Structures are given as structure tokens and as C-alpha cells.
């Protein structure tokens, strides 16, 4: 929990230390160890630590293959969640093909029971959209994006990832009709969200408003786990801005 809070509070160095301390204490094969492996993977990726991120990602994927599809509870862990975190990590590392594969696996698991985790499903759909946009498929990216932002439940992660998807589409496909439609919809919802105040995190109040699109900085693509990680930043805890590594 502490590592997650620190990560969304734009303190990845402290988040990494918290996750490393937790891993050292967690029983082998426990739910805590699996969740912390995910925290290590995406935090190392945000910091640009390619090799440690790859090691943690491989550990997480090994667990995901043996996990139950879904699990309820704030401190639970299941395959759908693990594959989704793996997709986030891959996007931060610039591995779009790998991110798409992991997000596809997560969506397949979520599809087994559409009632489970609508917020996490939306986050995964947005990450799948970002991967598709980077890989040259804006139509599919918009399809995933529209499905995600149609959910009546929003978290800071949905705000950030929808912003990243919108920025990627606008920059890469500025003349595409589907992109213009998506941008218009997000802009409308941005107006609805304009009055939202205070700090948003995945673990706090879910706000039933729109999304705050904000252009982020860059896009990259590299062979899976081949090095050259990128550092990314987030100010979600203050202004629901995008995870720049996802753009």
C-alpha cells in the first residue's frame, strides 16, 4: 500500500525503497510478495532501471500464469491484475508489442466475468489503446479508449492513462477522423472534471466525473526487454496529469 501511494504521489525513489523492504519481509509465494513484485516492476520501469524492471517483470509474469483469474479485496492479487501491471511496466519501458500482449491477456481474463473490477478493466483497456496507438492502429486505440472512458467509475489512474492515450493519438494521428472524435469527447469530459479538487489516488475516493487530458512528452518503442528504459514522471496526486512514460 505504501509503495502504491508513494508511486502515485510522484515519489518513485521512495516507492522503490518501500517495495524493496516489503519484498525482503514477505513470505515466498504469498499474495504480498506477488503484489510487491508488480510494484517493483513498474517502479523500476518509471525510474528507467531496465534490467531490474525486467527481472521483476519476469517474476510477476511467472506468478500470473499460476494465479486465479480474479480475487476480491483491497489486498488481493489475481492474474488479471498482474497482467495489467505487466502491461503498464512494458509501456514505461517502451516495449509496445509486449505491452499489447500483456494487456490482451488481462482483458481476456476480465472477459471471463464482466462484473469484476470495472475500474481496473478500464485502466487496462486504456493501456491497450496506448499500445495500439504506438503500433500504428489508431482505430483500435480509439475503440479501447472509448470503452474505457465510458465507465461511470473513475480513479486517478484512469484520468492519467486517458490523458496519455489522447496525447499519443493527437500527436501521432492529428488528421485521423477517429482521433478528432475521441479528442472532442475527452475535451467535453475535461470540462465536467474542471471543478474536481484535491488528491486522487487509486486507493481513495473514486470520482464520477470525466477525464483530464493533458499532452505528455514522448513516445518510444524498443524490442522486448532489450534495454534503453526511459524515465517517466507523474503528477497525478496533484493535478491528475498523465504518466508521461505511457505517452
Amino acid at each position: 500500500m505504501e509503495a502504491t501511494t508513494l508511486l502515485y504521489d510522484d515519489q518513485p525513489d521512495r516507492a522503490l525503497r518501500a517495495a524493496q523492504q516489503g519484498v525482503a519481509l514477505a513470505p515466498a509465494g504469498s499474495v504480498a510478495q506477488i503484489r510487491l513484485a508488480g510494484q517493483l516492476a513498474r517502479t523500476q520501469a518509471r525510474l528507467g532501471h531496465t534490467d531490474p524492471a525486467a527481472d521483476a517483470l519476469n517474476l510477476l509474469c511467472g506468478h500470473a500464469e499460476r494465479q486465479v483469474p480474479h480475487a476480491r479485496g483491497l489486498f488481493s492479487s489475481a492474474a488479471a491484475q498482474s497482467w495489467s501491471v505487466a502491461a503498464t511496466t512494458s509501456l514505461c519501458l517502451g516495449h509496445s508489442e509486449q505491452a499489447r500482449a500483456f494487456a490482451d491477456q488481462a482483458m481476456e481474463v476480465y472477459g471471463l466475468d464482466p462484473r469484476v473490477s470495472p475500474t481496473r478493466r478500464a485502466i487496462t483497456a486504456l493501456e491497450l489503446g496506448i499500445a495500439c496507438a504506438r503500433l500504428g492502429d489508431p482505430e483500435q486505440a480509439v475503440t479501447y479508449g472509448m470503452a474505457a472512458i465510458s465507465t461511470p467509475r473513475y480513479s486517478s489512474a484512469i484520468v492519467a492513462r486517458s490523458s496519455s492515450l489522447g496525447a499519443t493519438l493527437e500527436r501521432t494521428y492529428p488528421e485521423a477522423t477517429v482521433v478528432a472524435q475521441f479528442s472532442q469527447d475527452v475535451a467535453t469530459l475535461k470540462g465536467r472534471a474542471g471543478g474536481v479538487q484535491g488528491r486522487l489516488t487509486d486507493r481513495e475516493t473514486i470520482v464520477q466525473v470525466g477525464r483530464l487530458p493533458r499532452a505528455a512528452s514522448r513516445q518510444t518503442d524498443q524490442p522486448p526487454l532489450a534495454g534503453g528504459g526511459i524515465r517517466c514522471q507523474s503528477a497525478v496526486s496533484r493535478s491528475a496529469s498523465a504518466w508521461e512514460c505511457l505517452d
Side-chain angles (χ1 to χ4, degrees):
M1 177 75 96
E2 182 183 5
T4 299
T5 301
L6 290 168
L7 186 62
Y8 279 95
D9 200 30
D10 197 24
Q11 301 181 66
D13 291 295
R14 292 185 61 196
L16 178 59
R17 288 194 295 271
Q20 289 172 330
Q21 291 169 359
V23 166
L25 297 173
S30 65
V31 169
Q33 185 192 54
I34 298 171
R35 289 177 62 90
L36 286 163
Q39 293 297 336
L40 279 176
R42 63 180 180 179
T43 304
Q44 296 278 25
R46 280 196 61 194
L47 290 167
H49 302 165
T50 308
D51 290 340
D55 291 341
L57 181 59
N58 288 335
L59 177 62
L60 178 65
C61 291
H63 286 303
E65 292 172 352
R66 300 187 297 272
Q67 285 181 290
V68 297
H70 301 291
R72 298 185 181 277
L74 181 60
F75 298 102
S76 63
S77 182
Q81 178 184 350
S82 294
W83 290 127
S84 182
V85 172
T88 305
T89 302
S90 297
L91 285 174
C92 275
L93 290 171
H95 306 323
S96 301
E97 286 281 7
Q98 183 171 263
R100 181 168 63 180
F102 287 148
D104 272 332
Q105 286 179 280
M107 292 298 287
E108 182 178 345
V109 177
Y110 282 127
L112 298 175
D113 187 349
R115 300 168 297 176
V116 173
S117 303
T119 301
R120 290 187 182 279
R121 182 196 305 271
I123 291 168
T124 304
L126 287 164
E127 290 169 342
L128 188 52
I130 293 168
C132 288
R134 290 184 182 180
L135 293 169
D137 193 347
E139 291 81 8
Q140 192 64 63
V142 168
T143 296
Y144 287 123
M146 291 301 296
I149 65 175
S150 296
T151 180
R153 302 178 63 189
Y154 301 105
S155 73
S156 61
I158 293 179
V159 172
R161 286 157 174 78
S162 62
S163 299
S164 293
L165 175 56
T168 299
L169 288 167
E170 289 175 2
R171 183 185 62 252
T172 311
Y173 312 100
E175 305 301 325
T177 301
V178 292
V179 172
Q181 293 172 344
F182 182 73
S183 298
Q184 182 178 9
D185 185 72
V186 173
T188 300
L189 293 169
K190 176 182 177 180
R192 291 173 54 194
V196 175
Q197 301 292 327
R199 183 170 178 269
L200 295 175
T201 74
D202 287 334
R203 306 304 184 186
E204 294 177 339
T205 305
I206 294 174
V207 184
Q208 298 192 40
V209 293
R211 278 68 56 196
L212 285 172
R214 176 176 179 267
S217 65
R218 61 180 175 264
Q219 172 183 353
T220 183
D221 198 8
Q222 303 167 1
L225 304 181
I230 52 177
R231 182 182 178 90
C232 55
Q233 302 174 351
S234 173
V236 168
S237 61
R238 300 182 185 87
S239 62
S241 60
W243 283 50
E244 294 181 359
C245 62
L246 299 187
D247 178 33

